[in-house]
Amino acid sequence: GRLGLSFFDLDQKKITNDLPLIESQLPLESMATGIAVVGRYAFVVMDNFQIVPNIFRGIVVIDLETESVLDTYNILDPGADSVVSDGQELIVSFDGNPIWNYRLNGTNMPVLQHRIWKFPFRLSPMGHASLDAKYYYTCFAKAPTVKGALYDNVPVALDRRIFDQAN
């Protein structure tokens, strides 16, 4: 959230450390909106909490063993709300539409591979995703067929080859 990242010890059942993120921009605030863990590193996606120019929107790399910030990359557009990783890629969702696919470069700045704007059907992606070797799982909002009805949330498994195609 807005205050950063907390470390929780499952054995002791208590918070053992609070790690503030992007303190250098105070009193402006960004907020952590997603986290992907790859080995001993966590990649935290942050979006702007306040709507002002020059606020941090990007990725913070955390060393989980030392519980410290390794680096920050102010590289994202507004709206990032989720991130998943398979250890080779980071896939950042902007409320599902678009989806940005980054190649991991150790703990150095991730390299943008593709931005996905088009999907194989007419639904709006939404929510936090998950990932396996073959599929990117997320929910899509399906438009109602009856005027005035609510949208339905539909689970979808997208073949990960969609990330190999720029569109």
Side-chain angles (χ1 to χ4, degrees), residues 17 24 70 75 79 83 115 125:
N17 187 17
S24 60
L70 289 179
I75 58 174
V83 61
R115 291 183 176 129

Side-chain angles (χ1 to χ4, degrees), residues 123-139:
L123 300 173
S124 298
M126 59 179 291
H128 295 276
S130 61
L131 189 65
D132 68 18
K134 188 169 181 175
Y135 295 104
Y136 177 84
Y137 302 95
T138 192
C139 287

